[in-house]
Amino acid sequence: MSQQTRTTPRQTRDDALPSRVRVLVVGAGFAGLGTAIKLDQDGVTDFVVVDKGATVGGTWRDNTYPGAACDVPSQLYSFSFAPNPGWTRSFSQQPEIHAYLERTAREAGVLDRFRFGVTVQDATWDEAGQVWQVVTDHGTVTAEVLVTGSGGLSEPRLPAIEGIDSFGGRIFHSARWDHDADLTGKRVAVIGTGASAIQIVPRLAETVGHLDVYQRTAPWIVPRQDRAYPALERAALRHVPGLQRLYRLGVFLARETYVPAFTAAPDIAKPAELLARGNIRKGISDPALRERVTPDFKLGCKRVLISNEYYPALDREHVELVTDPIARVTPTGVVTADGTEREIDVLVVATGFHTTDQPIAHHITGRDGRTLAEVWREHGMTAYKGTTIAGFPNLFQIVGPNTGLGHSSMVFVIESQIRYIRAALAHLEEHGVATVEPRPEAQRRWNERLQRRMQRTVWHQGGCSSWYLDEHGRNTTLWPRSLFTLRRQLADFDPAAYVATPQQRTTDTEENAA
């Protein structure tokens, strides 16, 4: 990829936002940090990353609930250009991942262009100026290019349950954990049985007096093949040339073998389903409870979870799995459809995130005066290659529509999109182009092919309803092919698919007047 020559930053490091930047990046998680590092390496130093939090980390900064850990092996859940030979486990926990991101940011020397504690309120395309006007709670920034890296798992989704606002005890979402709440001996309820809940429940079961777990749909849960790296292995990973890359490649290739079961032939996942059923039998002694936690859809239709501890936690005497629908919440408890009220002291909401309705889309206004949310409301989330959107010039979205995964590391996707964005910026620079946006027909063809391919997947044929699907019944969340294919599609910028606006050239008279 060609190197771009840019001027030095227009502002030295302080707490203020610059009035104008070449590139404004929103979000300081894996996406924002990776973008910053690669832009800096390319010589594009005139950029700023803003984030409402106090440090880098994104999801791994905000999700600090008990038991928080990654479902992807550590060796693959890190930047390829910033390997971490110090992982202590094959599946890393939240504190270790967050520490890795903070260390990577420091070592890359890009933190001087991060502004924390900054909330983006609105971003509006200025057609006359060919720039984005981005309003934040710390002032307005004019940006030639806007990159959003806020992610699909950043804004918690609260359940619409009658009376939930009337609850008199402590209540909090799993992604906004209240660490001041002492749950020892308390009566606690957890709503949800998704990826966060199955990590939280075993930890709570160790300390609370009684725990109610409210399940709407039973998930498939396979064993977690986690282990601590012994000292000798950690030393080898640190000092033997190429060993860590070999580990990473092995994990990547192993994960890619899952793709056919998700995207082409769901029935070949039967062995994994048998493994999951064995996990139930091993963890739960009560046949009736086993039946209630056994899914009635094909493995993979919803997110496949991993845990060795969740089923044994449900099998404990002071833990109750509740499968009757929740009717309402009272000031003192939860009432189910059968009329039973279970009194509690603390309510933990583990009901996921806004994925098919990204909150940031409500704050980005394109050329025709409509927000991204309004555009997407018509037909669902769509983008070209999950990264650019017709009607929104010079807007690049990392982890955009149909870039999610059901089997491997999102860091691989993020790096692929960053590569594509860098190539687009190089094209702007080298060809005197002010703006690019995908042609509507190119975006339409991309999504039509993608949705045709999606019909073959377990997400459409598996017999379930999931957060992967939007209100139109379309899967706008996941990528329906291999990661090799995704990397190839994003390897180079393809200007033929884009409408380009030349840079405005000033006349000698205008320059003299200035």
Side-chain angles (χ1 to χ4, degrees), residues 429-481:
E429 190 75 17
E430 293 167 5
H431 295 274
V433 175
T435 71
V436 290
E437 64 176 290
R439 299 180 184 276
E441 60 271 23
Q443 182 171 312
R444 184 180 63 254
R445 286 195 300 269
W446 171 266
N447 285 280
E448 286 175 350
R449 289 195 299 267
L450 189 150
Q451 290 301 324
R452 283 197 301 270
R453 178 80 181 209
M454 194 69 74
Q455 300 306 310
R456 304 165 52 187
T457 69
V458 70
W459 310 309
H460 272 264
Q461 298 182 5
C464 76
S465 174
S466 73
W467 57 264
Y468 298 151
L469 308 180
D470 65 12
E471 59 184 3
H472 304 284
R474 297 169 66 252
N475 188 328
T476 59
T477 306
L478 299 179
W479 172 246
R481 304 184 69 181

Side-chain angles (χ1 to χ4, degrees), residues 11-67:
Q11 171 175 310
T12 58
R13 172 62 173 158
D14 58 38
D15 291 333
L17 281 172
S19 61
R20 186 182 180 102
V21 291
R22 170 66 169 159
V23 182
L24 180 67
V25 182
V26 180
F30 267 102
L33 176 57
T35 301
I37 292 172
K38 285 302 179 180
L39 288 180
D40 190 66
Q41 290 177 356
D42 286 348
V44 184
T45 54
D46 185 10
F47 68 86
V48 167
V49 182
V50 296
D51 193 285
K52 61 187 177 183
T55 182
V56 298
T59 294
W60 297 103
R61 174 198 63 214
D62 296 338
N63 284 266
T64 59
Y65 59 79

Side-chain angles (χ1 to χ4, degrees), residues 62-66 169-184 200 204 345-349:
D62 296 338
N63 284 266
T64 59
Y65 59 79
R170 286 183 181 261
I171 178 172
F172 47 88
H173 193 280
S174 58
R176 303 291 184 264
W177 196 266
D178 184 353
H179 290 278
D180 292 330
D182 182 6
L183 306 184
T184 305
I200 293 168
L204 294 184
D345 304 306
V346 179
L347 179 58
V348 177
V349 179

Side-chain angles (χ1 to χ4, degrees), residues 155-161 164-165 171-174 176 349-354:
E155 291 295 328
R157 179 186 293 277
L158 297 175
I161 300 174
I164 195 167
D165 293 334
I171 178 172
F172 47 88
H173 193 280
S174 58
R176 303 291 184 264
V349 179
T351 49
F353 300 85
H354 291 272

